[in-house]
Amino acid sequence: MLATAVDVAGRTWARRGELREPESRGAVLLGLVLVVAGVVAFGSVLDVVGEGDGLAEADRPVLGWLVAARGGPVTAFLTAVSAVTGPTVLPVVVLVATLAWGVRTRRWWEPALLAGAMVLSTLVSVTVKAVVARPRPPLSTMSVPGSESTYSFPSGHTVGTATFLLVLGYLVWIRRPHVRPLLLWVATTGAGILLVAGSRLYLGYHFLTDVTAGLALAVAVLGVVVVVDRRRALRAARMTAGAPGHDAGSEPAG
């Protein structure tokens, strides 16, 4: 399955110039690959958590190492990062960003899709937490003992931040799919996810498998967004092509 996903991604990338074309089915296929990859990765992490082997064997050693390395200035900085990307501040950031985007561009599809992706990732995260019901790390390892009372798996901070950065980057990039902005998107998103996931580990509120599962869920949500966005573009192109007086040389919708 992994080899197939890599092959599809490679062939799609080779035809990246066609990705923004509404008639292209490559982007829809790539979105489906992302959904499958995210779900499979999440299932694999959930399995090792239940069995206590594989990546789960690193949970407590990594937690213990980070707790031992904790220092004042770094703790203060990562506490601020964790607060900004938490369930209180991040929704406000998303709301402001989507409203500003829609008002400035007068296009509401992309902001609405970003907001919908955030709602979807939150609902999935909350549901999985309740079903899996994995306890948090010991209170003695938390930067502020008892400040987190919800279940641990997956990391909601990681799910939210990763979804926001991945989906926002995609919606911006797909309109102008060039190499330089793609590299910038990958670098910025990777750094942001690493910072937030690392803060949750460093502060002792999550295990390594919690943040890994959060990232996997965000990748699956990104795949859903890609499929929905490109299928809408395809339908719009077909409607435009069938409209009376359609100019075949006009720019495709989407």
Side-chain angles (χ1 to χ4, degrees):
M1 182 177 294
L2 179 60
T4 301
V6 171
D7 179 63
V8 170
R11 286 188 282 110
T12 302
W13 172 248
R15 301 172 62 183
R16 60 188 178 277
E18 302 175 18
L19 290 180
R20 72 183 299 269
E21 299 298 329
E23 295 82 0
S24 173
R25 298 181 183 276
V28 175
L29 181 58
L30 182 58
L32 292 174
V33 169
L34 288 173
V35 173
V36 173
V39 170
V40 169
F42 175 80
S44 298
V45 177
L46 179 59
D47 181 65
V48 299
V49 168
E51 298 294 331
D53 56 6
L55 184 63
E57 294 179 339
D59 277 343
R60 293 191 179 276
V62 169
L63 180 64
W65 178 77
L66 290 173
V67 170
R70 197 178 288 163
V74 177
T75 300
F77 171 70
L78 292 182
T79 298
V81 170
S82 185
V84 170
T85 57
T88 301
V89 178
L90 185 59
V92 176
V93 173
V94 173
L95 178 61
V96 172
T98 52
L99 288 177
W101 191 355
V103 170
R104 180 174 181 179
T105 64
R106 299 184 183 277
R107 289 173 57 95
W108 290 99
W109 169 250
E110 290 85 356
L113 199 54
L114 175 59
M118 296 301 295
V119 171
L120 175 60
S121 66
T122 299
L123 291 177
V124 172
S125 175
V126 170
T127 301
V128 172
K129 279 180 181 286
V131 172
V132 177
R134 186 187 197 186
R136 292 269 179 175
L139 292 177
S140 59
T141 66
M142 295 184 181
S143 175
V144 181
S147 60
E148 297 285 357
S149 56
T150 58
Y151 291 119
S152 186
F153 184 93
S155 166
H157 283 67
T158 305
V159 174
T161 301
T163 299
F164 180 71
L165 294 177
L166 287 170
V167 173
L168 177 62
Y170 159 75
L171 291 173
V172 172
W173 179 78
I174 193 62
R175 271 63 194 175
R176 297 191 178 189
H178 302 299
V179 175
R180 183 173 298 178
L182 175 64
L183 295 178
L184 179 61
W185 169 30
V186 171
T188 303
T189 300
I193 295 173
L194 182 62
L195 179 62
V196 174
S199 74
R200 302 305 287 167
L201 296 173
Y202 182 88
L203 296 174
Y205 298 134
H206 282 288
F207 296 110
L208 179 61
T209 44
D210 296 335
V211 299
T212 305
L215 175 58
L217 283 179
V219 170
V221 172
L222 171 63
V224 172
V225 168
V226 172
V227 172
V228 171
D229 181 53
R230 292 297 89 196
R231 283 185 62 84
R232 173 184 180 272
L234 180 58
R235 287 196 301 271
R238 287 174 176 171
M239 292 176 63
T240 302
H246 169 64
D247 182 1
S250 62
E251 183 179 352

